[in-house]
Amino acid sequence: MVGAVTAGTLVAAAGVGLGLWATSGDDGASGGSDEAAGTAGRSPSPSPTRSYPLSEAPRTIPAVREHGAERGPGWRPAKDHRVVVDDPALADEGRLTAGELGMTYAGERDDERAGDLRLELNRDAGANPESYTMTVRDGRVTVAAPTEAGVFYGTRTLKQEVKADGAAPEGVVRDEPAKQRRGLMVDIARKHYTAGWIEDRIRELGDLKYNELGLHFSDDQGFRIESGSHPEIVSDDHLTKAQVRKIVELAESRHITVVPEIDSPGHLGAVIAAHPGLQLRDVNGAAVRGAVDIANPESAEIVDDLLKEYAGLFPGGQWHLGADEYQALVVSDPEASFPGLAAAARKRYGAGATVEDLTTGWLNDRAATVRALDRTPRAWNDGFFRGGSVQAAKDIQVAYWTGKEIGARQPAEYLREGREVINYNDEFLYYVLGEPLTFVYPTGERIYEQWTPLVLRGTTPVPERYDGRILGGSFAIWGDIPRAQTQEQIAAGIRLPLAATVQKLWDPREPALSWAEFKALADELD
């Protein structure tokens, strides 16, 4: 994984500096030689350190950002070894890891024993909150981080080390993600997934250090979560609220935020089926598939009812509002085709207002609804328009997925406006069931070798100066032809793409491993 180094050298996967690190009190002095130990003011180890080769960097997915190589036996879990914590907030992480490694969870302890795995919160306010330091030395392991999430990620590294090589190598890992949003989105509206399948994906995502699971649960083909406010719109095959609460609870235990999406004002066919009076009709009276009439105040009322209802079910701070593919805007002259929308736009925004302005106003109104619920809104990029009398609110994050829409805007336009963007690039990250239109199932190899978070559209990256405004990315499973694959086939099909995607979100630099080596490691860890 890395070239030859001397004792105490910090090994990085590629040659660039990193940000602020979480540290423990004994976080990095090398045990590589007696001279080094003396320099650090420590007594020489009673074990003959020169008898051990210099440790190699851990083999994990995603790869750790830095490893300080040392000489020593490393660490292996054993049944009589303890997992101890310095803070009761880490009890869940401690119990989970103890169970996974076949160890004993001993709770809060100040004493030290051979074989201990110690989990610590150092609450370093200046560090990346998802960073951690893992020190393997003198037969013990310490994972220290400023937050519970950072500690959890350290335990994921340890779990993978043990699975890949049977032991954690001697030395110090310093690690943190490059991107704060690392997600998988699942379209559970067009294809119903069992709660158990979703829970299995959460466990998989947690071990890979993902931190978001998006659930697109409303579309033309179905509405898949139980509703108290509008039970009439719910599909026969759906998740109960009790099942969703269990999903959310499991996700929280893995430090994963569940991001709900009720797409509007398009993709509302399941709602329209129960409320046909809300359907948009053109100048000739023809119904427009999936689109509600946004000039009708009842359309906003029912969508806001649902947003408010599900805020209680999904406590995470993120909300996806959709806003893509509103069919009133795919015709050559929206004002002529939909005079009712045009009149409503002029009434609300003035004589020069357009149907685009009215649609942007709808998005802003829904953003206001979820903002009042302490949620950060996001919307698909084709719900943002160039020019016009009304602009989308600046705090609505752009979920960038395509450049195929009418009037498509380059990704850099959103970034130049100062908007925050999340990468859902349909060229690399869209797993569309049945491969309709021009879609093909993405491969881990292509993501690993050609994609980075800067590649928002097609295969061309945006300038690196915009990197700070790209919050991260999300792989997405879409159910366009729902019977094309079974749940089991989908799980198998996304395994390597998920591994490759998180590698680039955690560290977008060129990986140290070749694709063949990375795939072999992924197979070992599966």
Side-chain angles (χ1 to χ4, degrees):
M1 188 172 189
V2 295
V5 293
T6 60
T9 299
L10 283 180
V11 179
V16 300
L18 301 178
L20 295 167
W21 297 100
T23 58
S24 65
D26 184 19
D27 67 348
S30 170
S33 68
D34 291 341
E35 291 82 358
T39 301
R42 294 186 285 117
S43 298
S45 170
S47 61
T49 57
R50 286 194 180 92
S51 69
Y52 294 105
L54 199 64
S55 62
E56 296 184 359
R59 299 192 305 131
T60 62
I61 296 175
V64 301
R65 302 290 293 269
E66 285 191 1
H67 176 248
E70 298 185 8
R71 297 182 190 276
W75 177 89
R76 295 176 184 270
K79 194 171 185 179
D80 60 342
H81 289 172
R82 307 182 307 173
V83 177
V84 299
V85 300
D86 77 337
D87 191 302
L90 296 174
D92 289 343
E93 288 75 17
R95 290 191 181 96
L96 175 65
T97 306
E100 292 170 332
L101 299 181
M103 300 170 66
T104 298
Y105 177 66
E108 292 180 79
R109 292 288 191 277
D110 293 326
D111 62 314
E112 292 185 350
R113 292 185 188 174
D116 275 357
L117 164 59
R118 184 171 182 81
L119 308 182
E120 296 181 348
L121 283 176
N122 56 33
R123 304 194 185 280
D124 182 352
N128 180 329
E130 293 185 302
S131 66
Y132 67 92
T133 298
M134 182 168 69
T135 303
V136 180
R137 190 179 294 139
D138 299 330
R140 290 187 289 273
V141 181
T142 300
V143 176
T147 66
E148 296 164 49
V151 170
F152 175 72
Y153 297 141
T155 68
R156 299 308 87 192
T157 293
L158 186 63
K159 178 183 177 182
Q160 288 193 19
E161 288 174 326
V162 170
K163 182 154 191 183
D165 297 311
E170 200 87 1
V172 182
V173 167
R174 294 184 174 90
D175 203 13
E176 68 177 354
K179 294 300 179 183
Q180 64 177 269
R181 299 286 171 208
R182 306 177 301 279
L184 167 66
M185 193 228 73
V186 185
D187 171 11
I188 67 171
R190 282 178 276 194
K191 182 180 181 69
H192 175 63
Y193 294 83
T194 64
W197 188 90
I198 296 171
E199 290 167 2
D200 285 343
R201 301 289 72 71
I202 290 170
R203 296 182 184 96
E204 179 180 11
L205 295 176
D207 282 353
L208 289 171
K209 304 186 178 84
Y210 278 87
N211 64 4
E212 279 194 359
L213 171 65
L215 294 181
H216 174 97
F217 65 92
S218 170
D219 213 303
D220 295 341
Q221 294 80 2
F223 192 99
R224 302 292 182 180
I225 296 179
E226 175 188 355
S227 172
S229 65
H230 291 281
E232 72 280 0
I233 69 175
V234 179
S235 303
D236 290 341
D237 290 328
H238 65 272
L239 300 172
T240 67
K241 287 190 175 181
Q243 289 173 318
V244 174
R245 289 188 188 98
K246 186 179 175 186
I247 287 167
V248 170
E249 182 179 358
L250 178 64
E252 288 178 336
S253 76
R254 267 65 174 178
H255 300 279
I256 293 170
T257 298
V258 181
V259 182
E261 181 191 355
I262 298 175
D263 201 346
S264 78
H267 294 282
L268 282 172
V271 173
I272 292 168
H275 297 272
L278 301 182
Q279 188 159 32
L280 179 66
R281 295 181 178 274
D282 67 15
V283 67
N284 299 313
V288 180
R289 184 172 183 267
V292 294
D293 180 358
I294 58 177
N296 182 346
E298 292 181 9
S299 296
E301 289 172 11
I302 192 169
V303 172
D304 282 351
D305 283 348
L306 296 168
L307 295 175
K308 292 171 184 175
E309 175 182 0
Y310 290 106
L313 193 60
F314 297 100
Q318 306 290 313
W319 199 290
H320 202 316
L321 295 169
D324 63 313
E325 299 179 324
Y326 187 49
Q327 295 301 298
L329 299 176
V330 302
V331 298
S332 59
D333 189 344
E335 286 69 40
S337 295
F338 300 96
L341 297 183
R346 291 191 296 271
K347 181 178 180 181
R348 182 170 181 182
Y349 298 113
T354 65
V355 174
E356 272 192 2
D357 292 324
L358 190 69
T359 307
T360 300
W362 169 280
L363 173 60
N364 285 341
D365 289 345
R366 307 291 77 74
T369 298
V370 300
R371 193 182 299 115
L373 300 166
D374 296 322
R375 306 300 194 271
T376 298
R378 72 179 67 163
W380 299 113
N381 64 281
D382 51 329
F384 297 77
F385 310 113
R386 182 188 293 113
S389 303
V390 184
Q391 297 298 304
K394 287 292 187 181
D395 68 330
I396 304 175
Q397 296 170 350
V398 179
Y400 197 96
W401 72 282
T402 190
K404 301 182 178 73
E405 75 276 14
I406 295 173
R409 304 167 63 194
Q410 291 291 336
E413 287 192 42
Y414 304 88
L415 296 162
R416 278 197 299 270
E417 293 174 1
R419 295 190 181 277
E420 294 179 322
V421 175
I422 301 170
N423 191 327
Y424 291 76
N425 187 335
D426 64 349
E427 176 78 17
F428 288 93
L429 306 180
Y430 262 36
Y431 195 95
V432 185
L433 299 187
E435 300 181 304
L437 304 174
T438 60
F439 289 106
V440 296
Y441 292 127
T443 67
E445 181 175 10
R446 188 160 181 257
I447 296 167
Y448 190 77
E449 294 182 342
Q450 299 180 33
W451 180 81
T452 75
L454 290 172
V455 182
L456 285 161
R457 172 178 173 175
T459 59
T460 304
V462 298
E464 194 165 354
R465 66 179 178 272
Y466 294 126
D467 183 62
R469 293 180 189 157
I470 300 172
L471 301 181
S474 181
F475 195 81
I477 304 168
W478 291 101
D480 290 43
I481 304 176
R483 292 186 177 86
Q485 288 192 342
T486 65
Q487 292 185 145
E488 292 72 25
Q489 289 172 322
I490 294 166
I494 66 174
R495 183 178 65 86
L496 289 173
L498 281 178
T501 300
V502 82
Q503 174 60 48
K504 292 301 192 69
L505 290 169
W506 194 267
D507 187 348
R509 301 171 298 179
E510 183 176 352
L513 299 181
S514 68
W515 168 250
E517 291 168 330
F518 183 86
K519 180 180 182 299
L521 176 58
D523 291 341
E524 284 184 57
L525 295 174
D526 186 32

